[in-house]
Amino acid sequence: MKVLWITAHPDPRSLTSALRDEGVRALGEFGHRVRQSDLYAMGWKAVLDAEDFPAAHDGEVHGGGAPGDDPAGGGAPGWNSPDPAPDPAPRPSPKWPRAPRR
């Protein structure tokens, strides 16, 4: 089976990255063909990224504070940046090569 594993996370130490690594490894052991696409590494503007946490320390991107700490409802004051502008254009999906017809 062909599998396209898509992630978009700024922290390589995240649970998302660990699950990707383990999933890709396990699928490969079972003989599946796996391609990976890291939208964050491609510069795709995710809903949240490291720039959205200006008060983060040591490069950590997980939040702090409770939702009620910020009058705007976004967590601790200083943790969230303004909403980003929408992406200018959708990006093309990766294509698998087609098998020859018999």
Side-chain angles (χ1 to χ4, degrees):
M1 176 180 6
K2 295 186 246 180
V3 177
L4 175 61
W5 197 294
I6 301 171
T7 56
H9 201 287
D11 188 350
R13 302 166 298 164
S14 70
L15 176 60
T16 299
S17 296
L19 291 171
R20 178 208 54 223
D21 294 345
E22 181 61 20
V24 168
R25 183 200 60 76
L27 287 166
E29 283 184 5
F30 285 101
H32 300 294
R33 292 175 50 200
V34 181
R35 282 196 179 172
Q36 298 181 55
S37 182
D38 184 344
L39 300 178
Y40 184 79
M42 292 167 43
W44 182 78
K45 179 61 178 164
V47 174
L48 292 177
D49 63 17
E51 293 175 5
D52 290 313
F53 297 93
H57 301 286
D58 298 327
E60 306 244 348
V61 294
H62 16 89
D69 292 344
D70 181 4
W79 276 90
N80 293 334
S81 65
D83 287 339
D87 279 341
R91 300 188 191 279
S93 299
K95 302 278 187 213
W96 284 95
R98 295 228 178 249
R101 298 220 185 257
R102 295 179 194 208

